[in-house]
């Protein structure tokens, strides 16, 4: 199968990914530098009332912010290539290790909730589309519209209020309990945030899947299969499902990549120190190297998600496979 | 006994614009091995008639009347009974053959599945496949089987679709515009092929292509705006077309001057009083505007829905 | 706990020997003074029958007595359970007990570089200490320094250190003080600017550190103690740290967070919690609480839940709205730390029309401070020209208090007398040429916290627009843009910490040095001369007198109109710890060792 895809295709995708990556880091580099305000001024104003200009200048000199932009850019690029992403102003730690640590905790939430929401969203969506017009379909559609309309923040709270505050079943956020208190495992700590994240991303995938299923059911080959007397379940699993999943695939992979950056609310409510919370605090403090690092990782993840979808497509869809062969 | 007998069939669809009367009081009979051409413009209700016969219409479609297959009313059948009839007894050759094949599966796989559905064991199915493909004109059945639908040409797809419908050896084939979109060479080949494969079975040949129908069929039925307007033997219809619409169609043929009928068929949600064709009819009389004509029997099994033949 | 073994333990304690001799006397006294035996209320420290939040030896003895009577003789129920008696003993003997959990809103609050570079002490003073710290009475509390004095010209400051130990057992020496100074400057750490005027530090002996300043600085201890204050760090640990900016202390093994304060590092999970325990070798009184846990809860509403469920014991810096929500909830009390932030309507004295002193004076009468304070919730009106009386005490010139009362008629009178303005029959003020007075006010600076600036503006806008006929327009802008805008806008609303209103030295805010302008673009040669004089004066009374004259100048020129000061609202659980309210921290936050040395557990549930 893989050989059939052709190395050229993989290389091409890879290079277009690389190009997008370079473009994106260049953009973020210049965008971040055009933002008003800087770390030191902010910090000094937080402490007192003045930001002595000589202090700000010496700080800028120290971290190389006083160099001409092209030179800074070159330094930044060579730094990335050498694996040196700089040090966070705020934390003093190497950006890379900081992000790696936070990314780990984000992934602890994200992976299970991505799988769950993709599974549930596609499952419900497929069923709903297949049973279009039925009571189950109407129920699913309306309840998921409701779920999607309520912001994730509220669901997080509702969960916290019911399960942690009222019932006392689950811990109040964080991924560990304080030492000496009743220990709750990572599973119990992660349960609420994962469920909330899942709840909030199921509707999006559901709509996509339902629509895609409806489109597929209107196709002639479904009619033809019926005319041949195939059983309904066979039509669903052999013909309707594989075909309707195709367009949802890219969206789902991107959706998961976006959840990464978009889980700030969930991470805040549940005191889960992941990438979202780090982004938020880095933005607040103008922590330039950290912000650059985070955007770099975000870009990378989205490109990887895209690349994965791109590589999965030819495995599933013979049309794309032959288009590649034709290239 | 007739193989299939359609009695005052009415198919309506509720839409936002109103009730669409796609098929309106159609009566048709088809004997075993008989070949009937159902002719009409797009939207005249001929495809709906075919789908109604197989009960493939969407759930909100309303069917009234009777469709008797070997004396059994298809409209009363349970889904399981229907599934047993579909394919095995009544096979459909759907419109747009390239879209009637699952794009994600090879032709071979789809053929295999269909053969298995037709009751062959795995071994038999594998063995039968090349034979079946050859019977629709494949010279290299193996490469056909390996191909995906998007890799096949229009003619090839048509043949594959025909092969799929032959997998069951049904007693009635409903071919829905099989010659649409084909070049003249392929069209001729498909017509020949259809003629060959239906030697021992009945064929309902749905088309807007009068010449193709003339080549294949013994009887012709013309539909306009949901109703039958003329029904008769091929020769009678060609030599002595009764309905002005039939005459219009014949004059529109390249061989007879290529004069298209002016105007458009009326919308099925708002059918006019009187004859549905009167606004386009060059021979319309006052009565045509106010009174809906019944189907008149003009003798020799030739029927026509026109006030000119009272 | 098993009752017998508990009793045995209490009696075995040697230090309780003298207590035994009191037994007989107390037994009799106890019969006549049943009033001293109070039921243990929820918020009373067990055994503390007098309510002074201390367990005296009498109180402990009477509790033990009642307990023994019960267990030996089977008489009436003791007023303390075994657990509570244990707690009484802990409080009496100063044995740390219980764990107090405090939420922090950002991970940055955990880390040491915060103390090195940012807020310094007293925030973060649980582990680290400075030499001295200022208190709210205008005096100083001693931390690591036992005494200090300056030379007559206030250029040489000598600090005598206490006999203290670092938490790893090393003694604290003057070398550490010198090291801290040198390190801050060598490594160009952010807080080095606090010590800009220090030329060098000398250590004549292990417990004496002498700071030599380039310029006289009579308020040097004030500079060292807050906003931000300088913490002293152990030389033997940090001298090995080449680059403190990228030093990961979590990963540094045994040398984790070594300070000299009352609490020491116990455990931490990065981005989750930071657990401290009482440092029993502390040079002052050791704390009553055994552990302090800082727990990350970034979301405000989650923090409210956590307090109500008992997950945390205290919740500092809540908004007035949140305080209202918590009112009347079981076991929760809210109190106010006054004067945390001062709010003012500030002028740019160089721009038209605020460059006209008459304009500024006139507006001073048109600010309803009472009204503005009410809209803010927990605020007090400020009637002085700049210093807050509760923090600066006798340094506030009494002649300048309530000089500009709220009176629109007076505003109109001043405008009427002016050459540049006219007042029409409706009392509306216009420029002489008849144009309407248009004011554009940017919002979004420090005063924008809890939208205080908007509330203040709304409180005054009515008067300015309806009664004076101004056209007042405001715009909320991001912080960074705000800083640019106030340079070009004649009026802006600002806020700053109370500690910037607590000393005559703070009048420096209006000083125009040869080097540059000030925040208000205010420049009065007379005032500048006074400021220079103040900087060279060490005598307290003389400084006060100069301060009075400076305030008199400000009262005339009005470069700013102080409006009010707000406090910090703190909610705490009354069933866990007591003593929050009896000590006020210097700054807005409660993470001050003063507070944490004062709180005591009130129930054995606190762990």
């Amino acid at each position: 199968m893989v050989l059939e895809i052709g190395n050229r295709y993989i290389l091409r995708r890879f290079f277009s990914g690389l190009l997008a990556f370079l473009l994106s880091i260049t953009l973020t580099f210049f965008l971040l530098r055009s933002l008003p305000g800087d770390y030191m001024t902010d910090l000094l104003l937080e402490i007192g009332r003045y930001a002595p200009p000589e202090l700000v200048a010496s700080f800028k000199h120290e971290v190389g912010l006083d160099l001409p932009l092209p030179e800074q850019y070159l330094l930044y690029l060579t730094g990335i290539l050498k694996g040196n992403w700089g040090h966070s102003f705020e934390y003093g730690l190497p950006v890379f290790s900081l992000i790696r640590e936070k990314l780990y905790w984000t992934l602890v939430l994200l992976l299970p909730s991505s799988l769950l929401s993709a599974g549930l969203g596609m499952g419900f969506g497929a069923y709903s589309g297949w049973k279009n017009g039925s009571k189950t379909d109407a129920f699913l559609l309306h309840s998921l519209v409701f779920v999607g309309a309520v912001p994730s923040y509220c669901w997080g709270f509702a969960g916290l209020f019911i399960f942690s505050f009222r019932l006392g079943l689950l811990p109040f956020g964080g991924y560990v309990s304080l030492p000496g208190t009743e220990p709750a495992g990572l599973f119990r700590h992660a349960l609420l945030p994962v469920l909330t994240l899942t709840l909030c991303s199921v509707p999006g995938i559901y709509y996509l899947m339902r629509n895609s299923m409806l489109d597929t059911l209107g196709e002639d080959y479904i009619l033809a299969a019926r005319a041949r007397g195939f059983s309904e379940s066979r039509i669903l699993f052999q013909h309707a499902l594989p075909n309707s999943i195709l367009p949802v695939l890219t969206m789902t992979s991107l959706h998961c990549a976006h959840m990464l950056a978009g889980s700030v609310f969930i991470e805040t409510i549940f005191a889960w120190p992941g990438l979202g919370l780090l982004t938020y605090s880095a933005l607040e403090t103008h922590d330039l190297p950290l912000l650059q690092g985070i955007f770099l990782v975000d870009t990378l993840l989205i490109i990887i998600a895209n690349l994965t979808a791109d590589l999965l497509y030819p495995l599933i869809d013979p049309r794309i496979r032959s288009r590649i062969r034709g290239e | 006994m007739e193989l299939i007998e359609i009695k005052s069939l009415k198919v309506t669809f509720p839409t936002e614009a109103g009730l669409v009367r796609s098929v309106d009081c159609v009566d048709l009979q088809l004997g075993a091995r008989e070949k009937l051409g159902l002719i009409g413009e797009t939207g005249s209700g001929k495809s709906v008639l075919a789908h109604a016969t197989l009960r493939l219409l969407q759930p909100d479609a309303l069917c009234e009347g009777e469709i008797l297959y070997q004396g059994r009313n298809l409209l009363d059948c349970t889904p399981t009974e229907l599934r047993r009839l579909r394919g095995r007894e009544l096979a459909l050759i759907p419109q747009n053959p390239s879209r009637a094949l699952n794009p994600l599966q090879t032709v071979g796989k789809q053929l295999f599945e269909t053969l298995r559905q037709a009751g062959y064991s795995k071994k038999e199915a594998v063995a039968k496949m090349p034979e079946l493909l050859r019977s629709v004109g494949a010279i290299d059945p193996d490469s056909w089987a390996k191909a995906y639908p998007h890799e096949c040409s229009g003619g090839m797809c048509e043949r594959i679709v025909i092969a799929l419908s032959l997998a069951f050896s049904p007693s009635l084939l409903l071919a829905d515009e099989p010659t649409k979109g084909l070049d003249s060479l392929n069209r001729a080949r498909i017509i020949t092929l259809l003629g060959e494969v239906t030697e021992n079975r009945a064929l309902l040949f749905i088309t807007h292509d009068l010449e193709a129908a003339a080549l294949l069929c013994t009887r012709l039925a013309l539909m306009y705006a949901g109703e039958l307007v003329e029904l008769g033997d091929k020769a009678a219809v060609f030599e002595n077309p009764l309905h002005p619409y039939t005459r219009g169609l014949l004059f529109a043929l390249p061989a007879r001057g290529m004069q298209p009928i002016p105007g458009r068929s009326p919308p099925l949600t708002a059918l006019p009083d009187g004859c549905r064709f009167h606004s386009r009819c060059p021979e319309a009389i006052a009565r045509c505007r106010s009174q809906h004509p019944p189907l008149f029997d003009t003798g020799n099994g030739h029927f026509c829905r026109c006030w000119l033949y009272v | 706990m098993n009752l017998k073994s508990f009793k045995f333990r209490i009696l075995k304690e040697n230090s309780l020997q003298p207590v035994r001799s009191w037994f007989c006397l107390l037994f009799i006294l106890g019969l006549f003074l049943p009033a001293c035996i109070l039921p243990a209320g929820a918020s009373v420290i067990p055994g503390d029958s007098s309510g002074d939040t201390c367990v005296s030896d009498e109180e402990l003895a009477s509790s033990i007595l009642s307990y023994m009577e019960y267990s030996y003789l089977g008489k009436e129920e003791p007023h303390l359970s075994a657990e509570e008696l244990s707690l009484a003993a802990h409080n009496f003997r100063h044995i740390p007990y219980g764990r107090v959990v405090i939420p922090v809103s950002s991970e940055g609050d955990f880390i040491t570089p915060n103390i090195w570079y940012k807020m310094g002490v007293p925030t973060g003073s649980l582990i680290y200490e400075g030499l001295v710290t200022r208190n709210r009475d205008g005096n100083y509390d001693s931390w690591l320094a036992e005494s200090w004095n300056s030379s007559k010209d206030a250029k040489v400051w000598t600090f005598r250190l206490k006999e203290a130990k670092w938490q790893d057992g090393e003694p604290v020496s003057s070398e550490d003080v010198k090291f801290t100074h040198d390190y801050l400057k060598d490594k160009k750490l952010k807080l080095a600017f606090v010590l800009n005027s220090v030329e060098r530090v000398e250590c004549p002996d292990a417990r004496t550190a002498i700071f030599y300043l380039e310029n006289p600085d009579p308020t040097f201890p004030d500079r060292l103690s807050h906003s931000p204050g300088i913490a002293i760090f152990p030389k033997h640990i940090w001298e090995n740290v080449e680059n403190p900016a990228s030093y990961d202390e979590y990963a540094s093994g045994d040398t984790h967070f070594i300070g000299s304060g009352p609490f020491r590092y116990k455990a931490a999970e990065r981005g989750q919690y930071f657990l401290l325990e009482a440092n029993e070798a502390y040079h002052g009184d050791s704390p009553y609480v055994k552990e302090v846990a800082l727990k990350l809860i970034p979301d405000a509403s989650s923090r409210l839940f956590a307090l109500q469920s008992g997950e945390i014991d205290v919740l500092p810096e809540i908004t007035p709205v949140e305080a209202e929500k918590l009112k009347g909830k079981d076991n929760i009390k809210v109190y106010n730390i006054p004067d945390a932030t001062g709010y003012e309507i500030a002028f740019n004295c160089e721009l038209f029309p605020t460059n006209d002193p008459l304009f500024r004076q006139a507006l001073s009468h048109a600010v309803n401070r009472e009204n503005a304070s009410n809209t803010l919730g927990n605020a007090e009106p400020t009637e002085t020209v700049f210093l807050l009386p509760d923090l600066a005490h006798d340094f506030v010139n009494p002649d300048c208090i309530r000089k500009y009362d709220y009176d629109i008629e007076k505003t109109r009178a001043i405008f009427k007398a002016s050459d540049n303005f006219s007042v029409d029959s409706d009392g509306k003020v216009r420029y002489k040429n008849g144009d309407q007075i248009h004011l554009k006010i940017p919002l979004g600076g420090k005063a924008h916290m809890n939208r205080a600036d908007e509330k203040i503006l709304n409180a005054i806008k009515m008067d300015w627009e309806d009664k004076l006929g101004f056209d007042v327009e405001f715009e909320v802008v991001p912080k960074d843009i705000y800083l640019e805008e106030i340079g070009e806008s004649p009026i802006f609303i600002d806020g700053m910490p109370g500690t910037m209103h607590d000393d005559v030295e703070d009048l420096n805010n209006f000083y125009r040095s040869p080097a540059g302008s000030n925040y208000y673009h205010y420049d009065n040669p007379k005032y500048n001369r006074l400021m220079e004089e103040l900087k060279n004066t060490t005598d307290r009374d003389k400084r006060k007198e100069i301060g009075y004259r400076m305030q008199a100048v400000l009262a005339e020129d009005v470069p700013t109109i102080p409006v009010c000061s707000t406090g910090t609202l703190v909610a705490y659980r009354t069933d866990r710890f007591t003593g929050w309210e009896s000590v006020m921290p210097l700054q807005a936050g409660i993470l001050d060792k003063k507070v944490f040395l004062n709180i005591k557990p009130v129930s054995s549930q606190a762990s």
Side-chain angles (χ1 to χ4, degrees), chain A residues 4-44:
Chain A
E4 214 178 313
I5 297 173
N7 293 329
R8 261 185 73 196
Y9 173 73
I10 297 177
L11 270 178
R12 276 176 70 140
R13 290 289 134 179
F14 184 75
F15 276 114
S16 72
L18 198 69
L19 199 71
F21 179 68
L22 281 177
L23 211 73
S24 153
I25 58 170
T26 308
L27 259 173
T28 46
F29 177 87
F30 288 106
L31 270 177
L32 284 174
R33 266 160 186 75
S34 66
L35 283 179
D38 67 277
Y39 178 71
M40 199 59 190
T41 310
D42 256 39
L43 182 62
L44 289 168

Side-chain angles (χ1 to χ4, degrees), chain A residues 216-231 235 239, chain B residues 51 54 56 86-87 90-102 110 114 117 160-162 164-165 168:
Chain A
T216 308
L217 289 182
E219 294 285 347
D220 287 351
Y221 52 80
I222 299 292
L223 190 85
R226 249 188 213 129
R228 262 173 261 147
F230 283 138
S231 71
I235 292 172
H239 301 283
Chain B
H51 289 173
L54 278 172
L56 286 174
R86 284 181 192 155
L90 308 156
L92 177 74
I93 298 173
Q95 236 174 1
N96 285 328
S98 59
R99 296 186 57 194
L101 294 167
N102 184 346
Q110 298 186 49
T114 311
Q117 177 72 19
I160 291 161
V161 168
I162 292 170
L164 281 169
S165 62
F168 297 93

Side-chain angles (χ1 to χ4, degrees), chain C residues 193-300:
Chain C
F193 77 91
V194 178
L195 298 174
N196 261 352
S197 66
V198 179
E199 191 200 323
R200 67 180 191 282
V201 180
E202 283 182 5
C203 312
D205 64 60
R207 286 176 54 199
T208 310
I210 306 174
F211 286 77
Y212 292 90
L213 312 187
E214 281 164 5
N215 305 305
D217 188 355
T219 55
F220 186 60
D222 185 50
R223 191 175 296 279
L224 285 182
S225 66
H226 67 76
S227 322
I230 299 295
I232 304 300
F233 279 74
K235 181 184 178 183
H236 64 280
I237 287 168
W238 287 87
E239 67 186 347
N240 303 320
V241 178
E242 202 48 50
N243 185 6
S246 55
Y247 177 55
D248 186 4
E249 216 172 352
Y250 285 98
S252 64
D254 293 340
T255 58
H256 281 315
F257 310 101
I258 299 292
S260 61
F263 292 92
R264 54 191 290 163
Y265 170 87
K266 187 176 181 192
E269 180 75 36
R270 210 197 289 267
Q272 291 283 281
Y273 65 80
F274 199 96
L275 187 62
L276 306 173
E277 63 178 353
N279 172 16
E280 296 190 36
Y282 183 54
H283 58 79
D285 286 339
S286 58
Y288 290 94
V289 288
K290 191 166 177 6
E291 289 176 337
V292 175
L294 308 181
K295 193 174 183 345
L296 179 78
I297 309 182
D299 182 73

Side-chain angles (χ1 to χ4, degrees), chain B residues 193-253:
Chain B
L193 176 63
L194 274 175
E196 283 166 18
V197 300
T198 53
E199 225 171 293
N200 291 319
R201 38 181 79 98
L203 171 72
L204 183 66
F205 183 63
I206 297 164
T207 185
H208 59 262
D209 182 349
L210 264 174
E211 283 172 333
L215 287 172
L216 260 175
C217 306
T218 49
R219 268 204 312 154
L220 296 178
L222 283 105
M223 278 186 86
Y224 183 81
E227 345 173 85
L228 278 184
V229 288
E230 186 162 352
L231 175 69
D233 287 342
K234 174 178 76 180
V237 173
F238 264 77
E239 307 299 312
N240 180 23
L242 295 177
H243 201 278
Y245 175 62
T246 318
R247 283 203 281 272
L249 282 181
L250 286 171
F251 285 129
L253 286 176

Side-chain angles (χ1 to χ4, degrees), chain A residues 229 234 238-239 243 318 321-322, chain B residues 102-103 105 113 117 148 150:
Chain A
R234 183 172 213 135
Q238 291 273 347
H239 301 283
N243 277 291
R321 214 147 59 218
S322 54
Chain B
N102 184 346
Q105 292 178 348
E113 295 269 320
Q117 177 72 19
Y148 282 97
H150 68 276

Side-chain angles (χ1 to χ4, degrees), chain B residues 54 56 63 138 151 156 183 189 193 209-210 223 236 276 292 305 308:
Chain B
L54 278 172
L56 286 174
C63 298
E151 296 164 330
M156 223 167 129
D183 59 66
R189 282 181 183 162
L193 176 63
D209 182 349
L210 264 174
M223 278 186 86
R276 292 182 186 166
H292 188 243
R305 195 185 291 278
L308 296 174

